[in-house]
Amino acid sequence: MKLRVTLAVLGMTASVASAQEAVPQASNQWFADAQAKLEEMLQREQITGRARNVILFVADGNGVATNYATRVFTGQQDGGYGDEYVQPHEDFPYLALVKTYTTNGLTPDSAPTAAAFNSGVKAKNDVINVTDAVNVGDCAAGAEDEVALLSEIVSDAGKSVGIVSTARITHATGAAVYARTVSRDYEDDTLVPEGCDQPDIAAQLASQMNDGVIDVVFSGGRRHFLPDGETDAEGEAGSRGDGRNLIEEITGEDGTYVQTQEEFQEIDTSGVEGPILGLFEGSHMLYEADRANEPSLAEMTEAAIEVLSRDEDGYYLMVEGGRVDHANHAGNLARTVRDGRAFAEAIALADEMTEDSETLIVVTADHDHALQFNGYCGRGSDILGLCMGVNPDGIEHTGEPNLASDELPYTVAGYLNGVGSVLIEQVEVDDADISQPVDPDTGAAAGDPRPLYQGSRPMVTQEEATDLDYIQQALIPMPSETHSGTDVALYAKGPWAHLFDGTIEQNVIFHVMRYATMEAEEE
């Protein structure tokens, strides 16, 4: 049986053309394209040499739904219907689904999920690179907990390490590359509670850069590195209370520090020595749609690769599209997909700059969001706009919006919860009307006052829905849209990328990256 299967596979490539001619639909373009894809897949070869480099791309909150929205948006921006477009990472040969739950959360946050990439273990929500034995905020237990990070492992082997992020570098995803903390909120010393001896996250980056573990950082978050008596290039005050200027501590005499686009462009990536620190905002970097006087994610990725690739032993680079997550939280899909497109551009550039034979590239997300899509929309409906009718006599939509049972049009995309909720708090209702019995299962005592929410969907036009600042309609009222616990996709290429297969636990990603770069046999 095994011999027959092997012979069938070996002969399949040769028979593709004849099989294509054997069926009446062979001249159909969809059929021909699928046959071509089959031939490509049959020629695919696994790369099993040791990876010199590994690049981990994480678009924060870029679940399957957000990835889909970005794909359609980009394709439509390029003049197509959108759904047929292929993003750079979607053309990678290997794919897996990743479970994102944490040890105490069906729905995760970015701290333990990003830590799973960098330490190989799952843990509780809100902690970074400590084990499940440690509770949130337990400084004493955290001090006793030993977890080695991928950055430290590869640095000990002589490799260089870089971090690129559009969020604050002390925010959860970027921090997971270098820090250990019992609370993701401990970004500087003023946020660490009295009596907790754990160093704040910014101080940990300073230590890791001074120790030579982290070599290149491009991100935001200047305020956590400056004392409260000093201001940055934009006149924003630092927030540290201990008087330390961590930027000066990191760069010293031989390091490089940049704050603006102009300073960034002056970096001699072919010859610069010492640590490189680029902090382009006091907090998070700007959304791609609003970006000014700071480099794009692709530009930062390119510079980081140029610097890190000078190391003959190779490198580990983590690149985060951090603001994909923030725009989702705001219910602002227009900015979400623009940051998603910028993320894809960084992937394409990194792929062009590296060789498949020596660089493992992994593209994934830390978690999903409560974003979903309505039906039944005709092809070419603007992903940011109204859901147009399906055209029975052609391909493109009818141009007439579908109507819901309330006789109002609806957008292609919406959120299950968030600030765009169609339910509005009735602030003018008197106390007697909002004191209602509450189900004991909710944990509130019967008779406790609670706000009464009522509402109906407002009318929305195509012009309103496609505006950059439009907030998608949502159901459940929330001050910020929430994460989702659903699986996320992972795309990979390069050495040992074929190990990413099926449905895997999130912490497995660390183990494949470590194996590919540290344990696999060299060819």
Side-chain angles (χ1 to χ4, degrees):
M1 182 62 178
K2 289 182 180 179
L3 178 60
R4 287 199 297 273
V5 170
T6 301
L7 291 174
V9 171
L10 290 174
M12 191 173 295
T13 303
S15 65
V16 164
S18 60
Q20 185 171 344
E21 296 171 357
V23 293
Q25 65 268 36
S27 61
N28 181 280
Q29 190 61 49
W30 289 104
F31 189 92
D33 290 346
Q35 287 292 128
K37 183 63 177 179
L38 174 61
E39 292 186 26
E40 175 191 324
M41 294 166 67
L42 289 170
Q43 299 299 320
R44 185 177 296 164
E45 294 183 2
Q46 298 175 352
I47 302 174
T48 57
R50 180 178 293 184
R52 177 173 176 263
N53 317 307
V54 59
I55 305 177
L56 173 63
F57 280 94
V58 181
D60 199 314
N62 192 46
V64 172
T66 302
N67 184 77
Y68 165 77
T70 302
R71 175 201 305 154
V72 177
F73 171 78
T74 304
Q76 291 176 344
Q77 291 289 299
D78 288 355
Y81 294 113
D83 38 25
E84 78 282 6
Y85 183 79
V86 179
Q87 297 182 93
H89 51 287
E90 293 175 335
D91 205 32
F92 285 10
Y94 300 103
L95 174 73
L97 288 177
V98 182
K99 298 180 180 181
T100 63
Y101 70 94
T102 61
T103 61
N104 68 344
L106 177 66
T107 304
D109 76 272
S110 297
T113 50
F117 305 145
N118 287 282
S119 66
V121 298
K122 283 187 177 253
K124 295 181 174 70
N125 278 2
D126 297 313
V127 303
I128 300 175
N129 292 323
V130 296
T131 69
D132 183 49
V134 178
N135 294 329
V136 180
D138 190 344
C139 291
E144 300 290 328
D145 203 58
E146 289 292 333
V147 175
L149 309 183
L150 182 62
S151 59
E152 296 166 338
I153 293 169
V154 301
S155 179
D156 286 345
K159 296 182 182 295
S160 296
V161 179
I163 312 169
V164 171
S165 175
T166 53
R168 293 191 300 272
I169 193 58
T170 51
H171 213 238
T173 307
V177 179
Y178 62 86
R180 303 167 181 80
T181 181
V182 295
S183 173
R184 58 176 290 175
D185 295 333
Y186 297 171
E187 294 188 56
D188 67 45
D189 65 302
T190 65
L191 301 171
V192 179
E194 186 176 353
C196 179
D197 292 331
Q198 183 178 79
D200 63 83
I201 294 172
Q204 291 190 54
L205 177 60
S207 296
Q208 293 280 41
M209 295 192 77
N210 288 332
D211 290 342
V213 175
I214 308 298
D215 302 281
V216 179
V217 169
F218 295 129
S219 188
R222 286 191 298 246
R223 69 187 186 204
H224 296 301
F225 294 82
L226 293 172
D228 57 13
E230 295 189 27
T231 57
D232 61 21
E234 296 173 320
E236 297 181 21
S239 59
R240 299 196 65 82
D242 57 7
R244 295 175 65 183
N245 185 319
L246 297 182
I247 294 170
E248 293 180 352
E249 292 183 20
I250 290 170
T251 54
E253 295 181 358
D254 63 344
T256 299
Y257 174 55
V258 295
Q259 302 181 69
T260 66
Q261 172 79 3
E262 291 77 14
E263 292 174 348
F264 170 81
Q265 291 174 331
E266 292 175 359
I267 298 174
D268 178 12
T269 56
S270 64
V272 64
E273 300 292 340
I276 302 174
L277 178 65
L279 299 176
F280 302 103
E281 284 289 338
S283 182
H284 302 301
M285 293 182 67
L286 299 175
Y287 287 115
E288 178 62 21
D290 310 310
R291 183 167 57 85
N293 197 32
E294 56 189 52
S296 68
L297 189 62
E299 289 172 330
M300 293 188 292
T301 299
E302 179 180 27
I305 292 175
E306 287 175 348
V307 173
L308 296 172
S309 61
R310 290 160 46 198
D311 189 328
E312 295 181 356
D313 294 317
Y315 59 85
Y316 167 43
L317 172 63
M318 196 283 292
V319 179
E320 181 199 15
R323 307 231 63 191
V324 172
D325 178 71
H326 301 157
N328 266 324
H329 279 305
N332 183 202
L333 189 60
R335 282 184 171 81
T336 298
V337 293
R338 286 171 171 84
D339 269 68
R341 183 172 188 173
F343 177 72
E345 290 170 353
I347 296 168
L349 186 57
D351 191 20
E352 292 175 6
M353 295 178 68
T354 56
E355 296 293 334
D356 290 355
S357 61
E358 65 175 18
T359 303
L360 171 63
I361 300 181
V362 180
V363 179
T364 191
D366 46 359
H367 56 74
D368 203 350
H369 275 273
L371 172 67
Q372 259 309 336
F373 300 89
N374 294 308
Y376 294 96
C377 306
R379 197 159 180 217
S381 294
D382 191 322
I383 194 68
L384 302 177
L386 300 181
C387 179
M388 301 297 183
V390 174
N391 186 351
D393 300 318
I395 296 175
E396 191 168 7
H397 61 77
T398 63
E400 294 296 323
N402 290 330
L403 302 181
S405 296
D406 57 6
E407 299 186 356
L408 294 175
Y410 52 88
T411 54
V412 175
Y415 289 90
L416 180 61
N417 65 68
V419 295
S421 174
V422 297
L423 302 178
I424 307 299
E425 183 176 350
Q426 304 302 296
V427 295
E428 296 181 0
V429 178
D430 63 34
D431 290 343
D433 289 331
I434 64 172
S435 295
Q436 302 178 37
V438 179
D439 187 332
D441 291 340
T442 66
D448 277 359
R450 63 184 175 95
L452 177 66
Y453 283 83
Q454 293 180 340
S456 59
R457 296 191 312 116
M459 175 67 182
V460 58
T461 67
Q462 180 76 348
E463 182 180 6
E464 291 169 335
T466 54
D467 187 84
L468 179 64
D469 295 320
Y470 180 70
I471 304 300
Q472 304 297 135
Q473 290 182 351
L475 176 59
I476 302 169
M478 291 279 192
S480 174
E481 179 269 351
T482 71
H483 297 172
S484 164
T486 53
D487 297 349
V488 298
L490 179 151
Y491 307 85
K493 68 182 307 187
W496 299 99
H498 59 278
L499 295 181
F500 293 114
D501 190 25
T503 302
I504 63 174
E505 296 287 358
Q506 196 163 42
N507 57 303
V508 171
I509 297 171
F510 164 93
H511 295 271
V512 175
M513 294 191 300
R514 185 180 66 168
Y515 179 81
T517 55
M518 302 299 298
E519 300 176 7
E521 294 292 330
E522 296 193 48
E523 290 186 345

